[in-house]
Amino acid sequence: MKKFISLALVAAMTASLAACGGSSTATTTAAADAETEAAATESKEAAAGEAAMTQVEGSAADEDPLGSADAKIHFKAGITGSMSGAYAAGLVALRNHLEEMSNGEMTVDIYPSSALGNESDMLDAVSMGTQDMIVTSTGPIPAFANATANWGVLDLPYLFPTYETAYEVLDGEVGQFLLGEFEGTGVKALGFWENGYRCTTNSKKEIVHPDDLKGMKIRTMENKVHMATYTVLGATPTAMAMGEVFSALQQGTIDGQENPFSITYYANKLHEVQPYMTENNVFYSPSVLAISQDVFDGLTEDQQKILVEAADLAKDEQRQIEQRMAVQARKDMEAYGIVISDIDQDEWIEATKPVYEDSSLGIDADLLAKIQAVTNK
């Protein structure tokens, strides 16, 4: 019951914050009006659906979206996925570390399911200081600012052959350089979390070979590299905010989409409208935990240190949770009746090579060389 009430509060708080510009302090009262009751009913229905899923260790499906009411500092964090997804699980891990390390002074309030907008909108809000935190995919980052244009290199197909090579790059020199490119944008990037390996789903047929995608309308993020990749594969890429994808698939506006297993199943329940999924792992997709620079600068030096350390601890936990979710999601989707196809990855790697030669994408050759020095060892 606590969860249902809290989710209703999230809806009420979102409406309030949109009107007043936002605050880092959580609202502790809720109006018992028809709007709140409707939000509570919707939250109960959503929670019932989440409860039916197999919950992996670390899942936040049953967690309260709101942090401790006793905390003095509440970081308002937005995500596009539900409380069942790995982003929410990472934020709960962050909250647990923050509350413990700050003796209850700092906490995190989670706004799931695009309650604060799509990723591009939330990045802008964080940069302006009207939203405190975000966990975002890398999708909208290259277009966010001139300073972050180099982030497109991370979106190249089949760039990271393993999780381990991805971590070596992202937690190393290249990753730190890219995180530093947010300086001056109003956003402070705290570290690389995990989105996972992105796979293709569709409503039409089994896809095994790249040619099977020809003519299909596939939703991608608003990301030039991803769209160029699906164009090379013969599909028609359609950029669309995550919050619009389920209904577009349901109505047949698009034929398919691409996302990791955990996001397809846990965070957005797209398996309900996508009978086919191909484990083609076209992209390894990291995500980023970021905070408003103004909010960060408003913390004391000790609070800043605690936040940075807590974010680093939560990073490792979030990655582990995402991988457990990916494994379980595949099992549950197969049990649900989804046709999941494996592929000859070499065939797909060969088919996507032209993307690396596309000069219009503005890929930084030096950064790519540094990454490949690690991945090609």
Side-chain angles (χ1 to χ4, degrees):
M1 181 61 70
K2 181 181 179 184
K3 177 186 175 187
F4 300 153
I5 295 172
S6 295
L7 283 168
L9 282 173
V10 166
M13 288 167 62
T14 301
S16 173
L17 287 166
C20 68
S23 169
S24 293
T25 303
T27 303
T28 56
T29 60
D33 55 15
E35 183 177 351
T36 302
E37 289 179 11
T41 300
E42 184 177 349
S43 296
K44 287 180 182 180
E45 293 174 353
E50 291 181 18
M53 293 180 163
T54 302
Q55 291 190 28
V56 304
E57 180 185 352
S59 169
D62 291 330
E63 295 286 346
D64 195 326
L66 304 183
S68 170
D70 295 328
K72 295 179 180 178
I73 298 173
H74 287 246
F75 296 114
K76 180 179 68 175
I79 54 176
T80 55
S82 73
M83 288 298 293
S84 291
Y87 283 6
L91 286 173
V92 168
L94 172 64
R95 180 170 69 197
N96 291 341
H97 289 303
L98 273 179
E99 291 183 358
E100 180 180 356
M101 295 166 68
S102 69
N103 294 318
E105 183 180 42
M106 294 189 286
T107 192
V108 178
D109 295 331
I110 305 169
Y111 291 74
S113 303
S114 302
L116 302 181
N118 62 40
E119 290 181 335
S120 294
D121 293 337
M122 288 193 287
L123 264 179
D124 289 339
V126 170
S127 73
M128 293 184 290
T130 57
Q131 179 177 324
D132 301 332
M133 280 185 179
I134 181 176
V135 182
T136 177
S137 69
T138 58
I141 294 178
F144 169 65
N146 290 335
T148 57
N150 284 334
W151 278 70
V153 71
L154 296 180
D155 296 312
L156 286 166
Y158 298 106
L159 180 64
F160 296 110
T162 64
Y163 289 110
E164 290 72 25
T165 54
Y167 300 159
E168 188 174 350
V169 170
L170 298 175
D171 296 339
E173 177 188 350
V174 170
Q176 293 309 302
F177 170 78
L178 289 169
L179 293 176
E181 290 201 315
F182 274 100
E183 186 173 351
T185 68
V187 174
K188 180 176 179 59
L190 295 172
F192 285 98
W193 287 17
E194 188 152 279
N195 209 341
Y197 281 100
R198 305 181 75 91
C199 303
T200 310
T201 71
N202 83 96
S203 60
K204 299 293 185 182
K205 63 181 181 179
E206 188 174 6
I207 293 172
V208 176
H209 307 287
D211 285 349
D212 296 334
L213 276 170
K214 284 186 176 178
M216 283 196 176
K217 294 180 181 178
I218 303 294
R219 177 268 174 181
T220 70
M221 294 185 288
E222 192 172 347
N223 179 287
K224 291 194 301 182
V225 178
H226 284 200
M227 296 183 77
T229 299
Y230 273 89
T231 298
V232 163
L233 291 171
T236 301
T238 304
M240 185 179 294
M242 194 65 240
E244 303 170 9
V245 173
F246 189 97
S247 60
L249 291 169
Q250 193 173 43
Q251 295 164 11
T253 306
I254 51 176
D255 300 317
Q257 60 89 48
E258 51 83 45
N259 258 307
F261 273 96
S262 62
I263 290 179
T264 296
Y265 180 71
Y266 284 106
N268 292 289
K269 303 179 186 177
L270 301 181
H271 62 287
E272 295 178 3
V273 289
Q274 293 283 270
Y276 300 97
M277 186 162 191
T278 304
E279 191 167 5
N280 45 1
N281 296 340
V282 181
F283 312 100
Y284 169 80
S285 180
S287 57
V288 178
L289 171 67
I291 186 170
S292 166
Q293 187 70 58
D294 286 345
V295 172
F296 185 81
D297 291 343
L299 302 174
T300 67
E301 186 175 342
D302 284 344
Q303 289 168 342
Q304 290 177 352
K305 288 180 179 178
I306 288 172
L307 175 58
V308 170
E309 184 177 349
D312 195 52
L313 292 171
K315 172 192 72 179
D316 294 332
E317 294 175 41
Q318 192 272 339
R319 287 172 174 175
Q320 293 168 13
I321 293 168
E322 195 288 323
Q323 289 179 42
R324 289 197 293 268
M325 284 186 171
V327 171
Q328 188 61 50
R330 172 163 179 152
K331 293 178 181 177
D332 286 353
M333 288 171 71
E334 285 181 316
Y336 185 86
I338 305 303
V339 176
I340 299 179
S341 305
D342 296 311
I343 55 133
D344 176 357
Q345 195 169 86
D346 289 340
E347 181 184 13
W348 286 73
I349 291 173
E350 185 65 29
T352 56
K353 279 184 177 179
V355 179
Y356 283 75
E357 300 162 5
D358 186 345
S359 60
S360 71
L361 298 176
I363 299 300
D364 187 303
D366 290 337
L367 270 178
L368 177 57
K370 289 181 179 179
I371 293 172
Q372 291 179 325
V374 174
T375 60
N376 293 340
K377 285 180 182 176

